[in-house]
Amino acid sequence: MGRARLAELHGVATSYEPAPGRTVQVPEDTVVAVLAALGVDASTPRSVREALDRHDSRLRDRLLPPCVVVRPGKAPRLSLPEGTALRVRAEDGAPHTRGRAAAGAHGTDGALTARTREGGAFRGGALTGGALTDGVLTEGATPDGLLMEGATADGPLTALPPGAHTLFAEAPDGRRATAPLIVAPDRMPLSPVRSHGFLVQLYSLLSARSWGMGDLGDLADLAAWSGRALGAGFVQINPLHAAVPGTPAAPTDPSPYRPSSRRFPDPVHLRIEDVPEYAHLRGRARARADQLLEAAAALRTSVLREGALIDRDAVWALKREALELVRTVPLGPGRRAAYCDFLAERGQALEDHALWCALAETHGPEWRAWPGGLADPRSADTARARAEHLDRTDFHCWLAWLTDTQLAAAQRAARDAGMDIGLVHDLAVGVHPSGADAWALQDVFAAGMSIGAPPDAFNSRGQDWGLPPWRPDALAATGYAPYRDLLRGLLRHAGALRVDHVMGLFRLWWVPEGREPTEGCYVRYDAEAMLGVLALEAHRAGAVVIGEDLGTVEPGVREELERRGVLGTSVMWFERNYSGAGPARPLSPEEWRADCLATVTTHDLPSTAARLTGDHVELRHRLGLLTRPLAEERAAEAVEVAEWLALLGRLGMLPEGPGDEEAAVKAVHRFLLRTPARMVGVWLPDAVGDRRPQNLPGTWDQYPNWRLPIADAEGRPMSLEELVASPRLRALMAEVARLAPRDPGALAP
């Protein structure tokens, strides 16, 4: 019982439900290992008792929790000794201004102070009588954030603006405490109009100027064309996070969902010719750059015309050499000033990232094997390495700046083309354990743990994604600073953010190192804080938030996300009514939720053409992935597709009749546009009949995941120029544009 209570106190679940009505107990060894990763020794009965005693003692003695999160209508109740004084300093750290507060509060030369009464909790009156001046609460305002026990609705709501502030407390006995105070908006921003747009994996979108994979210049071109010519409101792309660099023995992992860093984009996405200094190369440098251009053209041709796979390492080898040539060209005064501003803005995070990149070039990307004390980013050895690798560190800072400027240009191109949202960036659920973030932020990642998924009806063995999880206690102690910084960086040049596995804001499945995924357990996060920080940064950026909430979702999570303004993800094939008796029927358009991004497929699922024809069943059969005989799988798939086609026919969305694949692809998109979904996404490969998935879950080297260019129905790769000229794509998007209403509440006729 003691260990179970200790686990509960730290958010560690000792059981889980893989299916309604079925409970599975977590192994005791797992609970002990997970608690150890949270800094709690639960290995023996004595250690459990001591840990419980320490926890109870800390709870009795503390004045403030590690972090205080408030939002309109919902704020924490602070239990404080009678007479405790509280003071709030606003985020911008503006000079203190004398103020006053009523109902037991008093003003000092701090931002705003209040004294508790009646047994320790705030009671009765609000802190009233102050206005927000120069970042502090002063005379004339009503505080709106510290929920006072027993206070009325017209009293306790604060005037502090959304932000990451600081709360100070001083008890009459002299004890003092400080805690981060996150004041969050209640909801995420929403686009005022309904939008449709493309979903695309950027690397797969090669133009006649690409160096072997799609780049940020291609992204800007796609956004500008689709916004102007098709009336599109957004382009959603895969994560552009920095990857762990490859070595001769181990190529770069092509998955965009196992990055080295989520805080900085990968310079492999740069359009080299768009770097202004490139035009000023002269002499031998120009001659070598021309040779690299020829090599890039050959690489592009091998992918688009010869059937080669996208080779990220080959692309980066050419681009890195070209960028090293470009760096010899001095920056002009304005460009130099902009670079210095970027360095100052991104600060320590950028310096750490760039130093990791420099050290990885010297010692390899596995930082735990680095010599001396380099595995510790704050050691004396690492401090010396910073001085020794100044030039190379600056090179990687410069690359981050160049990538940031081209991302800004792509978003600018999208908005200039009339897009309401523009770029939709993607936040991966975690980072590679050998990468830059895991090295620089060791204190907030749980050592010896990785995240995944428990066993369920679709995967009896569970999943281990090999990504270290955030420590919820460490995040709270920092005021969620690493999480805030991550979101702010991603939202710099985004109109929306897709959050992969958004359920992870509530809980994650932790798997101890060396154990099977079946031996993991759930660890709970402070969802109020995680959603509050997300709302705060989305509010600052004016960005829409989309949650990838596919699969098994804990009861109440989707409802809470909807309340907070996080759009869900609705994929047509999964939208069925599972509540009635008998087989689940496809949902009719009016039964769909409005607050979602509606799509027919995703990068992890078969293309629409492959599903309509059954090609994806044949592919999985060839790779040995089927769990039933081929004939049985074919029959089940045919029944499912027939159900949807029958519904489309009854709704008058398939006037061409059955048997026409291109007409059926149009019909499913007509269906999406009949739903009330706020955003409707078209998987770009669907528009040209591509049959190949970009990623086939359950495979590694058996299938070329994340390395395929977009192709037509015959499997012939297509350049961006060929895509925009495709009659099939133009016909589909003309139908989409015709049926897409701008009013989020309207339904297409």
Side-chain angles (χ1 to χ4, degrees):
M1 289 298 292
R3 185 174 287 151
R5 178 171 175 260
L6 191 61
E8 182 181 8
L9 290 171
H10 290 86
V12 179
T14 56
S15 65
Y16 68 97
E17 291 188 6
R22 179 169 170 249
T23 300
V24 175
Q25 296 298 316
V26 172
E28 285 283 324
D29 289 350
T30 295
V31 175
V32 171
V34 170
L35 284 170
L38 293 169
V40 179
D41 183 2
S43 57
T44 66
R46 178 177 177 178
S47 65
V48 168
R49 287 194 302 272
E50 291 173 348
L52 286 170
D53 289 344
R54 284 192 299 271
H55 181 275
D56 292 344
S57 177
R58 282 195 301 268
L59 207 58
R60 285 192 305 270
D61 295 341
R62 78 179 189 188
L63 289 176
L64 297 172
C67 183
V68 178
V69 180
V70 301
R71 61 182 169 101
K74 187 174 179 63
R77 297 182 181 275
L78 303 175
S79 182
L80 298 166
E82 181 178 356
T84 297
L86 292 179
R87 182 165 57 90
V88 176
R89 181 185 295 279
E91 181 177 25
D92 59 10
H96 291 179
T97 304
R98 181 175 296 279
R100 67 180 178 81
H106 71 284
T108 68
D109 288 332
L112 173 80
T113 64
R115 194 170 297 281
T116 59
R117 55 183 182 152
E118 296 196 25
F122 277 123
R123 291 190 178 277
L127 307 178
T128 60
L132 191 63
T133 305
D134 293 330
V136 295
L137 284 175
T138 61
E139 301 194 13
T142 301
D144 177 23
L146 298 176
L147 184 61
M148 306 165 197
E149 190 80 31
T152 58
D154 61 350
L157 303 178
T158 171
L160 275 172
H165 311 300
T166 306
L167 179 63
F168 302 87
E170 183 175 359
D173 60 8
R175 287 180 297 149
R176 297 182 177 182
T178 303
L181 171 63
I182 306 295
V183 179
D186 192 48
R187 289 175 57 83
M188 318 287 163
L190 288 176
S191 175
V193 297
R194 188 182 192 188
S195 293
H196 68 276
F198 284 124
L199 318 178
V200 63
Q201 300 282 291
L202 180 57
Y203 59 82
S204 72
L205 183 72
L206 284 76
S207 73
R209 295 178 62 189
S210 303
W211 286 36
M213 62 182 283
D215 61 36
L216 292 170
D218 299 323
L219 176 60
D221 281 347
L222 176 67
W225 170 74
S226 61
R228 295 179 190 279
L230 306 178
F234 64 89
V235 175
Q236 178 180 302
I237 52 177
N238 55 286
L240 302 185
H241 308 320
V244 176
T247 65
T252 298
D253 185 343
S255 171
Y257 293 94
R258 276 174 60 82
S260 169
S261 174
R262 297 184 294 176
R263 299 188 291 176
F264 297 96
D266 199 309
V268 76
H269 300 108
L270 284 169
R271 168 70 62 83
I272 302 298
E273 301 95 314
D274 287 354
V275 178
E277 289 72 30
Y278 178 84
H280 298 283
L281 289 172
R282 298 290 183 269
R284 283 194 222 169
R286 166 55 62 192
R288 180 56 185 157
D290 290 343
Q291 291 175 339
L292 292 170
L293 268 179
E294 292 178 6
L299 199 57
R300 177 177 63 247
T301 299
S302 71
V303 174
L304 290 177
R305 300 291 171 258
E306 299 168 11
L309 298 176
I310 292 169
D311 186 339
R312 185 189 184 106
D313 287 341
V315 173
W316 178 235
L318 295 177
K319 289 190 176 184
R320 182 180 58 216
E321 184 177 351
L323 288 161
E324 286 168 343
L325 293 172
V326 172
R327 189 167 175 252
T328 63
V329 178
L331 295 174
R335 295 266 292 164
R336 170 61 61 182
Y339 178 43
C340 290
D341 284 348
F342 179 76
L343 293 175
E345 183 178 0
R346 303 311 302 269
Q348 186 71 53
L350 175 59
E351 183 184 336
D352 285 345
H353 173 73
L355 177 60
W356 182 91
C357 293
L359 292 173
E361 289 177 333
T362 303
H363 303 294
E366 178 45 76
W367 55 265
R368 292 176 184 82
W370 287 352
L374 296 181
D376 178 357
R378 306 292 171 243
S379 72
D381 288 327
T382 302
R384 285 190 292 272
R386 290 180 191 273
E388 293 166 1
H389 292 80
L390 273 180
D391 182 70
R392 206 61 190 168
T393 299
D394 183 66
F395 174 69
H396 289 286
C397 288
W398 176 72
L399 294 181
W401 173 61
L402 293 180
T403 313
D404 185 78
T405 62
Q406 290 196 7
L407 276 170
Q411 175 65 350
R412 212 162 36 244
R415 289 298 181 91
D416 289 348
M419 287 190 168
D420 304 300
I421 293 174
L423 302 185
V424 181
H425 287 289
D426 196 348
L427 171 61
V429 69
V431 296
H432 198 289
S434 298
D437 284 0
W439 174 72
L441 299 172
Q442 294 175 47
D443 291 345
V444 294
F445 285 110
M449 296 286 147
S450 67
I451 58 176
D456 57 27
F458 302 100
N459 192 329
S460 61
R461 299 179 60 185
Q463 300 175 57
D464 183 347
W465 302 331
L467 309 170
W470 294 118
R471 279 184 57 165
D473 58 330
L475 280 180
T478 66
Y480 294 85
Y483 178 47
R484 285 189 281 120
D485 293 344
L486 165 63
L487 293 172
R488 192 171 301 181
L490 281 168
L491 290 166
R492 286 170 63 85
H493 310 301
L497 180 67
R498 174 190 181 269
V499 181
D500 189 39
H501 193 69
V502 71
M503 299 81 79
L505 301 181
F506 295 76
R507 65 178 186 177
L508 282 171
W509 184 258
W510 288 25
V511 182
E513 186 176 345
R515 296 181 185 273
E516 294 296 319
T518 53
E519 299 178 79
C521 72
Y522 278 115
V523 175
R524 190 159 294 282
Y525 291 76
D526 185 341
E528 181 66 28
M530 299 294 280
L531 286 169
V533 171
L534 180 58
L536 171 61
E537 296 305 330
H539 170 81
R540 285 170 158 160
V544 175
V545 177
I546 304 160
E548 186 275 294
D549 59 349
L550 302 174
T552 303
V553 182
E554 183 182 11
V557 166
R558 284 197 177 103
E559 292 77 8
E560 178 61 16
L561 292 171
E562 183 179 0
R563 281 192 291 270
R564 302 301 299 274
V566 177
L567 301 185
T569 300
S570 294
V571 176
M572 193 190 81
W573 306 104
F574 301 154
E575 291 298 309
R576 291 173 172 270
N577 185 346
Y578 294 97
S579 60
R585 62 169 179 81
L587 291 179
S588 58
E590 63 275 8
E591 294 178 287
W592 282 46
R593 54 183 172 173
D595 291 332
C596 73
L597 166 65
T599 71
V600 183
T601 190
T602 74
H603 58 267
D604 283 332
L605 296 171
S607 72
T608 302
R611 191 177 288 273
L612 290 169
T613 59
D615 283 7
H616 73 105
V617 176
E618 304 296 332
L619 173 62
R620 292 172 60 227
H621 171 65
R622 290 196 301 272
L623 297 175
L625 299 176
L626 296 183
T627 57
R628 295 182 293 183
L630 175 60
E632 192 174 332
E633 289 278 356
R634 281 177 178 160
E637 188 67 18
V639 168
E640 182 177 348
V641 170
E643 284 180 322
W644 279 103
L645 292 178
L647 175 59
L648 295 171
R650 290 195 300 274
L651 294 172
M653 295 179 183
L654 192 53
E656 302 89 345
D660 185 333
E661 176 197 308
E662 188 174 344
V665 172
K666 286 182 185 176
V668 296
H669 287 92
R670 290 179 186 126
F671 180 92
L672 292 186
L673 292 160
R674 183 75 67 87
T675 75
R678 285 183 173 271
M679 297 175 68
V680 174
V682 178
W683 176 236
L684 183 54
D686 271 355
V688 290
D690 196 345
R691 281 162 162 67
R692 306 169 305 173
Q694 282 294 315
N695 177 51
L696 189 58
T699 63
W700 177 243
D701 56 1
Q702 308 98 313
Y703 185 80
N705 295 317
W706 318 112
R707 289 174 288 167
L708 293 171
I710 297 173
D712 64 14
E714 285 71 46
R716 182 181 65 85
M718 300 182 72
S719 68
L720 174 58
E721 292 80 5
E722 291 169 321
L723 283 165
V724 302
S726 164
R728 179 166 178 164
L729 181 146
R730 285 179 172 272
L732 172 63
M733 296 312 295
E735 191 73 356
V736 169
R738 182 180 72 84
L739 296 174
R742 304 286 284 175
D743 179 355
L747 296 178

